[in-house]
Amino acid sequence: MGRLGAAISTAIAIGIGLLTLIGLLAGDNVPLVNDIADFLLQLVVITTAITVLIGVVNLFSVHARRVGRRDTGWGYSLLVIVATLLVIVLVLLERAGALGGRPSTILFETVQISIESALAGLVLFALVYGAYRLTRRRLTWPTVLFVVVLLLLLLGALPLAGLGPLVSIRDWLMAVPVSAGARGILLGIALGTVVTGVRVLVGQDRSYRE
Amino acid sequence: MSAEQIGLWAGFIFTLMIFSYLLGDNILYRLAVYVFVGLAAGYVTVVTIESVLLPWLRGTVFAPEANLGQRLLGLVPIILGLLLLLKSSPRLGRLGNLAIAFLVGVGTAVALVGAVAGTLLPLAAATGSGVRVDVLNGFLAFLGVASTLVYFHYLARRKPDGGTTRGLVVRVISAVGQGFIVITLGALYAGAILTSLTIFSERVGFILARITGG
């Protein structure tokens, strides 16, 4: 399984990649190749779903081991296991018709979303503190420009009367320089993707064999 | 008390537990985060099985009218998943490379088509056509896009002492590009602050509504 395996891996990556590429580019003009590309994409989606499940099983087993060995913080691990099982058991009971209503949906909408929102709200303090720390460091022209743009956009978002000029500046910033910078970054990423993709398809990049 | 009411009170308590982090890392915050991880793992499992795996298996392996070939094709992703699982084994890990190669092949093709058809062509066309609509702003946008790309261009001439140097023109254009990137990152940062501020005020409103019974 040494060099032969590596050669097979390369052949699979290049062959499947080219087949999918041709299928996606050809579209409905070549139905057979397009159908094959669609099927390959479905296989990838299902395989990815299986890897997600493997990840959950791994998380579960790691925490179960911590509980079993009574490691430091094993109580937290027990909480993870109980919460995971709670959702799965609730859904199973719902599907079996043993529970009225949709308790799993209620649990999601009230508890899960509440915790998610609270965590997202906490980010506010980290961001503001980060901006404050930035101004405390040695000032360079990019730092000053960053802070000025940040303040302009934040002040421009205030729902106050008399901020007309500020709102105009904010709108212009968003429409021209921000849009241009974002396009440049996205084009750079796309060019990098194309270069890397071509390298994989011509067999120059074979990091998947390691 | 209905299930919704119990859920809302639980959400209220968990929100306070998360916000207790503002006083420093503490047991209440950690309890809430671990519950969050457990619930998220449970929902991911349920959605993955119910929305992805079961429909696939019902349409291929367990389909009443499916022939042997279709059933075998239905098993392919499960075999690929098992091969990926072998990556953790020192002896059989190389078998997992076959599944990785398959994922990389399809992923590369999708990324290539997405990058060209979804990003390169539309953005290049939009930047070019912007000059026709508004000359000054269109030119500024073109300058921003071009100089940003030059900023990410890392080729340089090697000097005899081993160091590297870039031409004056490239340095000036890349400085302009750096300015556009900084403005963009500043705008993204401002957007993130405004988004988190909105979410935070919604949470504070939720807490007050629970306390006042609104």
Side-chain angles (χ1 to χ4, degrees):
Chain A
M1 193 57 207
R3 291 173 68 175
L4 179 65
I8 293 172
S9 295
T10 308
I12 288 174
I14 294 174
I16 296 285
L18 286 175
L19 194 60
T20 312
L21 186 65
I22 294 167
L24 291 174
L25 292 176
D28 293 334
N29 297 324
V30 190
L32 177 66
V33 186
N34 191 30
D35 288 346
I36 293 173
D38 280 347
F39 178 69
L40 291 173
L41 284 174
Q42 276 187 333
L43 287 185
V44 168
V45 170
I46 307 298
T47 309
T48 309
I50 291 170
T51 59
V52 169
L53 278 188
I54 291 171
V56 172
V57 170
N58 185 44
L59 176 86
F60 200 87
S61 63
V62 165
H63 284 285
R65 227 174 295 140
R66 277 182 67 182
V67 173
R69 288 198 303 242
R70 296 288 191 274
D71 284 349
T72 316
W74 66 271
Y76 297 123
S77 296
L78 188 63
L79 260 184
V80 172
I81 293 170
V82 170
T84 309
L85 290 178
L86 175 70
V87 174
I88 294 170
V89 169
L90 273 180
V91 171
L92 284 176
L93 290 174
E94 272 176 33
R95 300 298 181 267
L99 288 176
R102 311 258 311 164
S104 69
T105 311
I106 293 170
L107 184 69
F108 181 78
E109 287 174 352
T110 54
V111 177
Q112 181 77 353
I113 290 181
S114 285
I115 299 177
E116 274 181 25
S117 305
L119 284 169
L122 267 191
V123 173
L124 171 69
F125 296 92
L127 290 173
V128 172
Y129 184 61
Y132 168 74
R133 286 281 301 272
L134 189 68
T135 58
R136 307 296 296 172
R137 293 178 60 185
R138 192 171 62 87
L139 285 181
T140 57
W141 73 264
T143 312
V144 174
L145 185 60
F146 182 88
V147 173
V148 167
V149 170
L150 180 63
L151 289 176
L152 273 174
L153 293 178
L154 289 178
L155 290 173
L158 285 175
L160 294 175
L163 291 177
L166 214 54
V167 173
S168 303
I169 293 172
R170 186 199 65 182
D171 291 346
W172 179 81
L173 272 174
M174 294 303 287
V176 183
V178 172
S179 165
R183 278 180 192 172
I185 292 169
L186 288 174
L187 284 171
I189 293 169
L191 287 171
T193 306
V194 169
V195 171
T196 310
V198 170
R199 280 173 59 85
V200 169
L201 290 184
V202 299
Q204 280 285 311
D205 189 332
R206 287 171 284 187
S207 49
Y208 47 83
R209 303 191 325 187
E210 287 159 8
Chain B
M1 195 182 266
S2 66
E4 280 90 355
Q5 283 297 319
I6 295 170
L8 285 170
W9 278 110
F12 168 75
I13 292 165
F14 278 116
T15 303
L16 288 180
M17 287 164 80
I18 293 289
F19 282 167
S20 71
Y21 186 75
L22 292 173
L23 305 171
D25 191 13
N26 62 75
I27 186 170
L28 294 175
Y29 171 76
R30 270 178 269 152
L31 283 173
V33 167
Y34 276 85
V35 168
F36 169 69
V37 171
L39 292 178
Y43 283 114
V44 165
T45 307
V46 168
V47 171
T48 307
I49 292 175
E50 276 198 329
S51 306
V52 185
L53 292 182
L54 283 182
W56 170 262
L57 291 173
R58 285 195 194 113
T60 55
V61 181
F62 301 128
E65 71 280 7
N67 57 35
L68 182 66
Q70 285 169 319
R71 287 182 207 279
L72 287 176
L73 279 177
L75 288 173
V76 169
I78 293 164
I79 294 167
L80 289 172
L82 290 174
L83 286 175
L84 284 173
L85 204 55
L86 293 177
K87 282 292 283 178
S88 57
S89 159
R91 268 186 56 226
L92 301 170
R94 283 176 182 275
L95 283 171
N97 289 349
L98 300 175
I100 297 275
F102 176 80
L103 295 177
V104 166
V106 177
T108 301
V110 173
L112 263 176
V113 173
V116 174
T119 307
L120 275 177
L121 296 180
L123 287 187
T127 307
S129 62
V131 182
R132 263 180 283 150
V133 180
D134 182 345
V135 177
L136 182 63
N137 284 333
F139 174 73
L140 271 176
F142 172 76
L143 179 73
V145 172
S147 57
T148 302
L149 286 172
V150 170
Y151 177 73
F152 287 119
H153 183 78
Y154 291 116
L155 285 183
R157 198 176 300 122
R158 188 168 290 284
K159 291 191 290 189
D161 64 354
T164 54
T165 180
R166 300 168 85 187
L168 180 68
V169 177
V170 175
R171 267 186 287 151
V172 170
I173 297 174
S174 69
V176 174
Q178 189 182 3
F180 275 96
I181 292 169
V182 167
I183 291 172
T184 305
L185 295 181
L188 290 175
Y189 204 90
I193 286 181
L194 288 173
T195 306
S196 55
L197 180 64
T198 308
I199 297 170
F200 181 73
S201 45
E202 184 274 327
R203 277 297 90 190
V204 172
F206 170 76
I207 290 171
L208 291 176
R210 282 286 95 200
I211 292 170
T212 57

